[in-house]
Amino acid sequence: MSAGLFSSCVMQSEKFQNTEINYETGMGKIVDILNAYMRAERAAPVPEAPLPLRPITRELLASNESQPTVYRLGHSSILIQLDGEYVLTDPVFSERASPVQWMGPRRFHPVPLSLEELPPLKAVIISHDHYDHLDKASVRILDEKVEHFIVPTGVGRYLRDWGVATDKVNELAWWQSISIGSLQFTATPAQHFSGRGLTDRDKTLWASWVIVGHDARIFFSGDSGYFAGFQKIGERFGPFDLTLIETGAYNDLWSEVHMKPEESVQAHLDLRGRAMIPIHNSTFDLALHDWFEPLERAQVAAEVQGVTLLTPVIGAPVNVRAPVPTQAWWREIIEEGQGELAAGL
């Protein structure tokens, strides 16, 4: 299977590949990562105070129905209101991003609305099969609310195994599109990897997504290292009214598959985006940086590059076509934590 060209199914002996790199995690890299975790000394791996949260009510949703709107639910879960329909990306409502709920990364904040309170969904988009993006418990509860699941090639088998009807599952390879009503969804390249266990590495595809409606054009990055594909996507589908770009869980040891914040801002520029929301941060501790570092570094890089960066409080609505400036809300939490530390000395 050649890089960048994928069949509609994955044979047991085949693996998907990136277009620019061959990302491997051999024993040497695993040892380096384990050593880095053992040596790590962080001032703030998790927030020392509750994160600000805007509960999402039915009244709030109804008040924004006439305009394209997005709501950060946490990590890479985004509720998108477009052309009068609702679309949800990478829904993870579980307490932990883990194969089991008795251990693993625990969320920093509640979800601003429950699965039961979600409105009917025209589509759920999945970027890849990692546990912080594809959550079995969430999918099974969501199923009755969702008309269509749109996933990269190979990921559909998980959904079918979990009870989702085959005719609701749409699997796309890179550059393939599906239209549902006035909305068009296109799977676009990303530089990442896949696998939920020890034996299924890269057996399913990973993707970013282009979401186009009458009212707006939105890009959702999923997980990715920085690569030339962003510019190609921008040339083909841009400009975008809003980009939702992975900004978090990065490290030098795995920089090929997770962008650093400065690269995330550059990806936004490559995509020809008008405004950017950094996602994949502020919900789970998945790397070795402080919890607030992705937002802080993205803010600085955006100011240098002249990028309109939006950092809404979790749950707060963002008008895609006419966003209002947001505040650096994490700085108040940092200052509060530093004040408590000083008081205890």
Side-chain angles (χ1 to χ4, degrees), residues 204-255:
T204 65
L205 184 59
W206 49 95
S208 58
W209 292 92
V210 171
I211 307 165
V212 178
H214 291 318
D215 294 340
R217 303 175 74 88
I218 297 172
F219 177 79
F220 170 60
S221 73
D223 281 3
S224 181
Y226 179 74
F227 74 130
F230 292 121
Q231 186 171 3
K232 295 176 183 177
I233 296 167
E235 290 170 352
R236 187 163 176 176
F237 292 100
F240 292 97
D241 297 290
L242 181 67
T243 65
L244 305 166
I245 306 287
E246 179 215 36
T247 314
Y250 50 82
N251 187 278
D252 286 339
L253 289 169
W254 53 84
S255 59

Side-chain angles (χ1 to χ4, degrees), residues 96-111:
R96 297 180 187 271
S98 172
V100 295
Q101 287 301 298
W102 50 269
M103 66 175 295
R106 189 172 185 174
R107 62 173 55 249
F108 302 160
H109 60 82
V111 183

Side-chain angles (χ1 to χ4, degrees), residues 34-78:
L34 291 174
N35 285 336
Y37 269 91
M38 287 187 292
R39 295 194 307 267
E41 295 182 5
R42 292 183 287 169
V46 300
E48 297 180 5
L51 299 189
L53 192 77
R54 173 76 182 272
I56 300 175
T57 63
R58 291 182 180 179
E59 290 75 19
L60 179 63
L61 293 173
S63 68
N64 292 296
E65 282 184 348
S66 63
Q67 56 202 16
T69 306
V70 301
Y71 305 81
R72 275 204 73 189
L73 306 186
H75 200 55
S76 296
S77 301
I78 313 293

Side-chain angles (χ1 to χ4, degrees), residues 306-329:
V307 165
T308 299
L309 192 77
L310 305 173
T311 55
V313 166
I314 298 294
V318 174
N319 185 323
V320 175
R321 296 299 298 273
V324 298
T326 54
Q327 300 297 316
W329 53 264

